[in-house]
């Protein structure tokens, strides 16, 4: 598994994907119309030193990791860089404090550790754009970070990349109760969005264990699934639009709120699940379903895995339109929970089961839902 780690690579990946997607089309409208994009791609071609040395910094998860070297073509931070960022963002948003850097250099699982000397906290898309424009001009590598709850090490630096975190961009921009469309900044914590929507009578189409820390920008960048995927599908189905800043500072405005938009290439999908490799997501528009009144939960035990599969098939067939979650855990996971959390008990009789299933249904008609159960 590897992750691209260079400002120039962000642009190069996007360019090659766009070229692949558009090569058969005679009119390369997107790039022609976005002149700034085109010029940024030219910059890569001009940046010979990076091109010649194959400027990819990637993470290896095997014993080969010792072979990964920092690419010397990337600059290291100097005092002029720090002064520039302080002038742009103010002292408080330029973090060099060792304790805070220790936290943001270490991933959630404490498996990966970087050695970044700088965390930047922009408050607007324009600030993100200026940071990336500057880093690009100085050949400084960048890693976007959200709530740092990712489990694959993508949110922490491999070496000394500048960490850019949009946690200060946490405004809800609009919510339309008729369509259920929420537009917000990428630094909004998932749980805050869930609470906001709850007051409006809506829910987020995704819910996961890290909701108290993860950001919607991070969710989009990891194409996070979670408990409600079985009902509402992945973020490819629910995200209607995005705003993102490319490595050269160009802002891509794809922040549509139209559900059925068939006006050409749907570039936002490239960013969903791209783990920050194409740019920094700054705004998200997302379709949210209404909160339904009847919620029922069942907890079941199975002795073997094939019984779990049969149960899933039955649940899909018999609870079709109201099935909202189907979660599976084995004995080991159950024992871990029982030992680690005070007051948690297994609701089933203490006999030994190999697997457990949690089924949730959500619907609008209490009696009908109970009847199906
Ligand atoms: C307890 C727990 C439960 C979890 N449950 C699930 C689950 O049920 N389903 C599931 O799919 N995942 C789950 N995850 C992992 C999940 O991917 C992350 O929790 C979440 O989506 C990442 O969001 P984050 O803001 O923490 O991003 P980070 O961890 O900070 O970053 C993740 C990746 O996205 C990039 N990134 C972050 N923000 C941006 C941005 N604004 N623009 C561009 N790139 C960005 C980073 O560079 C990195 O590559 C779980 C994790 C934990 C700790």
């Amino acid at each position: 598994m590897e992750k691209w780690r260079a400002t120039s690579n962000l642009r190069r990946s996007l360019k090659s994907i766009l070229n692949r997607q558009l090569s058969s089309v005679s009119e390369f409208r997107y790039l022609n119309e976005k002149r700034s994009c085109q010029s940024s791609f030219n910059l890569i071609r001009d940046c010979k030193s990076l091109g010649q040395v194959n400027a990819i910094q990637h993470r290896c998860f095997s014993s080969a990791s010792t072979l990964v070297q920092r690419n010397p073509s990337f600059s290291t931070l100097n005092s002029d860089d720090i002064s520039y960022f302080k002038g742009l963002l103010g002292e408080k948003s330029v973090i060099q404090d060792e304790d805070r850097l220790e936290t943001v250099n270490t991933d959630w699982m404490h498996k990966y550790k970087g050695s970044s000397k700088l965390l930047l906290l922009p408050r607007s898309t324009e600030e993100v754009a200026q940071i990336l424009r500057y880093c690009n001009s100085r050949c400084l590598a960048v890693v976007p970070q959200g709530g740092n709850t990712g489990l694959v090490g993508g949110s922490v630096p491999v070496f000394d990349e500048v960490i850019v975190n949009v946690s200060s961009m946490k405004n809800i921009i609009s919510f339309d109760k008729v369509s259920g469309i929420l537009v917000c900044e990428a630094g909004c914590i998932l749980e805050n969005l869930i609470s906001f929507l709850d007051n409006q009578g809506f829910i987020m189409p995704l819910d996961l264990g890290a909701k108290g820390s993860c950001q919607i920008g991070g969710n989009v960048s990891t194409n996070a699934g979670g408990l409600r995927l079985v009902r509402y599908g992945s973020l490819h189905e629910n995200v209607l639009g995005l705003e993102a800043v490319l490595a050269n500072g160009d802002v891509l405005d794809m922040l549509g709120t139209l559900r059925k938009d068939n006006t050409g290439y749907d570039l936002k999908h490239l960013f969903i699940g791209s783990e920050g490799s194409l740019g920094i997501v700054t705004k998200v528009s997302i379709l949210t379903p209404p909160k339904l009144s009847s919620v029922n939960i069942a907890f079941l035990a199975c002795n073997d895995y094939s019984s779990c599969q049969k149960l899933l098939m039955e649940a899909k067939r018999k609870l079709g339109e109201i099935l909202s979650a189907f979660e599976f855990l084995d004995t080991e996971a159950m024992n871990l929970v029982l030992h680690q959390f005070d007051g948690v008990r297994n609701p089933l009789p203490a006999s030994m089961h190999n697997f457990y299933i949690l089924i949730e249904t959500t619907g609008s008609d209490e009696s009908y839902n109970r009847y199906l159960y």
Side-chain angles (χ1 to χ4, degrees):
M1 192 176 288
E2 58 182 31
K3 166 148 182 172
W4 297 48
R5 281 289 173 192
T7 54
S8 64
N9 289 329
L10 299 186
R11 290 196 314 277
R12 197 166 50 184
S13 324
L14 184 57
K15 182 195 174 192
S16 74
I17 292 166
L18 288 172
N19 275 341
R20 265 206 307 269
Q21 290 228 329
L22 305 177
S23 57
S24 59
V25 184
S26 58
E27 199 185 6
F28 202 22
R29 282 182 49 140
Y30 177 76
L31 291 181
N32 285 343
E33 281 170 10
K34 297 255 179 188
R35 280 181 48 217
S36 50
C37 255
Q38 203 169 28
S39 65
S40 79
F41 295 145
N42 289 338
L43 266 182
I44 308 169
R45 264 177 257 143
D46 296 342
C47 198
K48 285 186 188 139
S49 57
L50 286 182
Q52 280 164 356
V53 293
N54 184 19
I56 300 168
Q57 294 190 31
H58 57 95
R59 181 191 299 270
C60 291
F61 291 89
S62 67
S63 54
S65 60
T66 46
L67 300 175
V68 178
Q69 303 273 322
R70 183 188 187 280
N71 188 323
S73 299
F74 290 100
S75 310
T76 46
L77 280 169
N78 62 32
S79 56
D80 288 346
D81 300 327
I82 303 296
S83 303
Y84 173 82
F85 291 127
K86 284 185 175 168
L88 176 67
L89 307 173
E91 296 265 342
K92 284 188 179 159
S93 302
V94 178
I95 312 297
Q96 294 177 283
D97 171 73
E98 281 188 11
D99 289 343
R100 286 186 73 182
L101 286 175
E102 170 82 15
T103 308
V104 292
N105 269 305
T106 313
D107 79 310
W108 180 276
M109 305 282 281
H110 289 253
K111 275 162 78 178
Y112 310 109
K113 198 159 181 215
S115 53
S116 176
K117 301 279 181 290
L118 187 64
L119 164 67
L120 299 177
L121 304 172
R123 282 155 306 205
S124 66
T125 302
E126 186 46 35
E127 286 185 356
V128 174
Q130 292 199 45
I131 290 169
L132 293 187
R133 208 170 289 135
Y134 180 84
C135 288
N136 188 51
S137 69
R138 280 267 301 120
C139 277
L140 287 167
V142 171
V143 58
Q145 186 175 85
N148 198 11
T149 67
L151 302 173
V152 294
S155 53
V156 291
V158 180
F159 298 106
D160 57 350
E161 298 93 301
V162 175
I163 302 174
V164 179
N165 192 316
V166 294
S167 57
S168 304
M169 296 174 63
K170 51 186 178 195
N171 292 314
I172 288 170
I173 297 165
S174 65
F175 179 65
D176 181 341
K177 271 197 160 193
V178 177
S179 62
I181 295 168
L182 172 78
V183 183
C184 64
E185 291 184 307
C188 288
I189 302 278
L190 178 60
E191 192 164 43
N192 294 344
L193 295 177
I194 291 172
S195 309
F196 169 82
L197 287 170
D198 190 53
N199 290 330
Q200 307 287 328
F202 285 77
I203 61 168
M204 280 296 276
L206 81 160
D207 188 358
L208 46 89
K211 64 186 168 190
S213 305
C214 63
Q215 300 171 6
I216 189 69
N219 299 145
V220 168
S221 303
T222 54
N223 190 17
L227 304 174
R228 292 179 181 151
L229 188 132
V230 70
R231 174 76 165 261
Y232 299 110
S234 81
L235 285 173
H236 281 289
E237 277 142 280
N238 298 298
V239 170
L240 299 179
L242 288 180
E243 179 190 79
V245 184
L246 301 182
N248 66 343
D250 283 349
V251 178
L252 284 191
D253 183 356
M254 308 167 281
L255 197 62
T257 54
L258 195 58
R259 195 167 174 197
K260 183 185 183 301
D261 182 354
N262 52 1
T263 56
Y265 304 105
D266 205 344
L267 292 175
K268 68 170 184 285
H269 287 296
L270 295 179
F271 285 81
I272 299 172
S274 66
E275 290 264 351
S277 60
L278 298 179
I280 297 189
V281 176
T282 43
K283 291 188 186 122
V284 178
S285 116
I286 187 163
L287 183 65
T288 70
K291 184 166 72 177
L292 302 177
S293 53
S294 168
V295 180
N296 291 297
I297 289 172
F299 192 68
L300 302 100
C302 294
N303 270 331
D304 53 62
Y305 186 66
S306 71
S307 306
C308 299
Q309 290 178 309
K310 279 186 203 144
L311 194 58
L312 174 61
M313 289 194 303
E314 279 300 291
K316 285 205 260 189
R317 207 162 280 137
K318 303 254 169 72
L319 302 171
E321 69 279 18
I322 58 167
L323 183 64
S324 51
F326 188 99
E327 293 286 311
F328 154 94
L329 63 157
D330 60 14
T331 324
E332 219 173 304
M334 173 60 107
N335 288 340
L336 203 62
V337 171
L338 295 176
H339 287 121
Q340 293 296 321
F341 294 98
D342 288 340
V344 175
R345 63 177 184 85
N346 184 346
L348 294 173
S351 62
M352 195 62 187
H353 299 290
N354 292 323
F355 300 102
Y356 296 90
I357 305 285
L358 186 128
I359 297 178
E360 183 197 71
T361 62
T362 313
S364 51
D365 184 339
E366 182 82 42
S367 53
Y368 175 64
N369 292 351
R370 287 206 173 274
Y371 165 74
L372 285 181
Y373 244 60

